[in-house]
Amino acid sequence: MSIVAGTSEFAVIRPDKDRFLAEENPFEAMMSRFDYAAQRLNLDPGLYQVLRHPEKQIITSVPVKKDNGEVEVFTGIRVIHNSSRGPAKGGIRFDMNVTLDEVKALAAWMTWKCAVVNIPFGGAKGGVICDPSQLSMSELERLTRRYTSSIIEVLGPDSDVPAPDINTNERVMAWVMDTYSMHKRHTVTAVVTGKPVEMGGSLGRREATGRGCMLVTRQALARLGMPLQGARVAVQGFGNVGSVTADLLAKEGATIVAVCDKVGGVYDPKGLDVADMLAYVKEHKFLTGYPKGDAITNAELLTVDCDVLVPAATENVINSKNAGQIRAKIICEGANGPTTANADKILEDKGIYVIPDILANAGGVTVSYFEWVQDRGGYFWEEDVVNQRLERIMVRSFDEVAAMADRHKLNLRIGAYMLAIERVAAVHQLRGMYA
Ligand code: NAD
């Protein structure tokens, strides 16, 4: 049965759309692209229903004894969107902005992302509503351990494998792994990825997302007949993803003309020195005051004259208000959900080539998959092996998404969703419905 927008049939499969109308709602951002791709695929309505509903949503209270002896109760969330292709995979974020809607959207994005790069994982996401900057290290450890134990029944190398996300890191993953292992009475390294290398992490994981962004940008430039040598690149966000992308693109010969972080940024059309900026940030925390180049704001960075724009910070930064002013020819979405669905149309009308998040930043989960494989095999790979295998997967995935987009005369984002939905749907159809 076909799914056609505007018909009553469509209304039936999307009964609660009005609840999610805000442009900045990440669930809306995900669902509107999913709906369109599902419609183009003539996805079976029953399967549509299955894929739009997360398999499991856990909301849990996380009581933590503070250093001053008082107890504070936080709210923790874990959503497993889909596990048909393998264990669910997705990060844990600690942030005041965590909501169930956001976690649901991020979990579904993980399902599509893992399917785009064709690794045997489903999608999940988790979070705790908290401000980690207000917690001491020991409070953060107790919060992590209590949250882990409260969702422990879903965790496991064969069922749900977390990773770092906003405000969580290798340190937090080590606590998750230790808590899980204490409950299981033996060491289980494969229960999380993004761990320290000393305890089962993978070489190349820290750089993997930025390396993936560099690789797909290289593919996109080649496809558009633009040279990488001298390509002018602007990067929003100078954390893990942004700084590594900038560094690797510069090493490939691109000119990094602008970079910014949460506080502000710098611009120099002749090119910025990434290593020098990294050294500055290490000392001063933020780019503000960096002496070489002109100071620019976050908003200005998005609209500077450049060939490639890499939003690698946070969600909804490219929206209906600023999409019309963007001058880049290519956007490589290092962040998750940096572009709202409303902005998609504006960018497309301007002829901007967007490499969507579920492809562009999939290098991270790809090397997480390598980490899980290495942990389970107990055999660890050299860094160049990790990087070569990552490159093969990113290049192949870019080509497969581009081929799907070309075949249907659609943009890469919808091409990526279609490829992902097709792969997840195929597994559902083969497995059938357990009743
Ligand atoms: P990070 O915390 O290391 O860095 C974030 C950077 O963005 C910092 O420089 C911060 O100052 C800056 N920033 C925050 N808000 C900003 C704003 N409003 N404007 C400009 N800059 C801002 O985080 P990260 O790991 O680099 O993740 C960045 C994005 O990439 C997130 O959306 C994350 O979900 C996504 N992502 C990360 C990975 C990974 O492996 N780290 C993988 C896939 C996707």
Side-chain angles (χ1 to χ4, degrees):
M1 205 189 295
S2 72
I3 297 171
V4 183
T7 65
S8 55
E9 195 177 292
F10 191 71
V12 169
I13 60 165
R14 189 80 196 281
D16 52 356
K17 185 178 193 327
D18 289 347
R19 282 171 47 206
F20 303 114
L21 280 181
E23 180 179 1
E24 63 280 1
N25 183 310
F27 192 74
E28 163 64 15
M30 190 279 295
M31 280 311 298
S32 61
R33 279 77 169 247
F34 170 72
D35 279 355
Y36 186 65
Q39 172 195 329
R40 295 295 299 241
L41 283 169
N42 286 338
L43 186 68
D44 173 81
L47 207 42
Y48 172 92
Q49 288 290 355
V50 171
L51 296 183
R52 90 180 297 282
H53 289 97
E55 278 175 21
K56 203 169 276 183
Q57 304 174 55
I58 300 175
I59 300 181
T60 175
S61 292
V62 184
V64 174
K65 190 171 266 184
K66 307 289 283 293
D67 293 344
N68 64 9
E70 287 173 13
V71 171
E72 186 167 348
V73 180
F74 298 90
T75 300
I77 299 171
R78 185 77 184 164
V79 172
I80 295 183
H81 173 258
N82 191 283
S83 61
S84 60
R85 289 169 46 88
K89 187 88 193 75
I92 296 171
R93 60 173 63 172
F94 288 169
D95 198 77
M96 288 307 289
N97 294 323
V98 167
T99 63
L100 181 60
D101 255 2
E102 180 191 54
V103 178
K104 276 163 64 181
L106 290 162
W109 266 321
M110 287 304 296
T111 303
W112 313 134
K113 195 181 296 185
C114 293
V116 163
V117 284
N118 215 358
I119 57 178
F121 284 144
K125 205 80 182 188
V128 179
I129 306 170
C130 66
D131 179 356
S133 69
Q134 299 302 309
L135 299 173
S136 70
M137 199 59 133
S138 54
E139 288 167 343
L140 203 58
E141 177 174 355
R142 289 196 287 280
L143 174 91
T144 305
R145 290 186 183 279
R146 185 62 190 246
Y147 169 67
T148 304
S149 66
S150 69
I151 59 167
I152 208 150
E153 62 274 18
V154 298
L155 299 182
D158 292 315
S159 50
D160 182 13
V161 185
D165 195 71
I166 292 173
N167 294 329
T168 58
N169 56 14
E170 311 192 325
R171 171 72 277 178
V172 173
M173 292 309 109
W175 290 328
V176 174
M177 181 278 213
D178 182 69
T179 305
Y180 183 84
S181 299
M182 285 296 119
H183 280 253
K184 294 292 158 187
R185 321 304 296 163
H186 63 273
T187 296
V188 188
T189 52
V191 69
V192 286
T193 61
K195 298 179 293 293
V197 171
E198 298 86 330
M199 53 176 282
S202 177
L203 294 170
R205 173 62 187 88
R206 197 188 71 76
E207 300 82 6
T209 308
R211 183 172 293 279
C213 288
M214 178 274 284
L215 291 166
V216 293
T217 300
R218 198 182 70 188
Q219 294 304 106
L221 284 162
R223 207 175 150 79
L224 300 186
M226 294 164 65
L228 175 49
Q229 195 67 37
R232 295 162 309 143
V233 179
V235 182
Q236 185 195 46
F238 203 55
N240 175 291
V241 181
S243 68
V244 174
T245 306
D247 187 41
L248 294 179
L249 279 170
K251 285 182 176 142
E252 293 286 317
T255 304
I256 310 301
V257 295
V259 168
C260 77
D261 58 28
K262 203 185 329 205
V263 184
V266 276
Y267 172 68
D268 185 347
K270 294 195 294 301
L272 294 158
D273 181 341
V274 179
D276 194 50
M277 287 188 295
L278 276 169
Y280 184 87
V281 168
K282 203 166 176 194
E283 197 179 334
H284 300 90
K285 204 160 168 220
F286 294 107
L287 282 163
T288 326
Y290 181 69
K292 303 171 197 165
D294 300 327
I296 52 164
T297 64
N298 282 331
E300 286 165 347
L301 180 128
L302 294 170
T303 56
V304 295
D305 191 15
C306 62
D307 298 308
V308 181
L309 173 64
V310 185
T314 186
E315 287 144 36
N316 301 327
V317 292
I318 301 174
N319 48 50
S320 53
K321 294 181 204 81
N322 62 6
Q325 282 102 58
I326 287 177
R327 289 191 273 174
K329 297 172 189 73
I330 294 172
I331 295 176
C332 173
E333 295 185 336
N336 284 313
T339 309
T340 67
N342 290 357
D344 276 354
K345 173 91 178 71
I346 302 170
L347 298 177
E348 188 159 12
D349 289 347
K350 285 172 67 87
I352 297 175
Y353 196 74
V354 180
I355 314 169
D357 46 8
I358 56 173
L359 168 64
N361 68 37
V365 76
T366 301
V367 176
S368 276
Y369 162 55
F370 295 163
E371 180 175 332
W372 177 82
V373 169
Q374 291 170 78
D375 287 341
R376 289 165 72 101
Y379 179 72
F380 290 86
W381 312 346
E382 300 293 335
E383 190 163 353
D384 60 337
V385 174
V386 172
N387 291 345
Q388 277 162 21
R389 290 180 176 171
L390 172 64
E391 177 162 356
R392 216 173 297 150
I393 288 182
M394 293 308 295
V395 169
R396 184 196 68 208
S397 304
F398 179 91
D399 290 345
E400 287 173 346
V401 167
M404 175 67 96
D406 287 351
R407 198 156 59 246
H408 293 271
K409 299 192 170 42
L410 292 164
N411 60 37
L412 284 195
R413 188 184 315 280
I414 301 300
Y417 272 82
M418 288 175 74
L419 185 66
I421 294 170
E422 202 171 70
R423 285 180 174 158
V424 177
V427 171
H428 273 271
Q429 255 143 6
L430 286 166
R431 289 180 61 157
M433 191 161 303
Y434 178 77

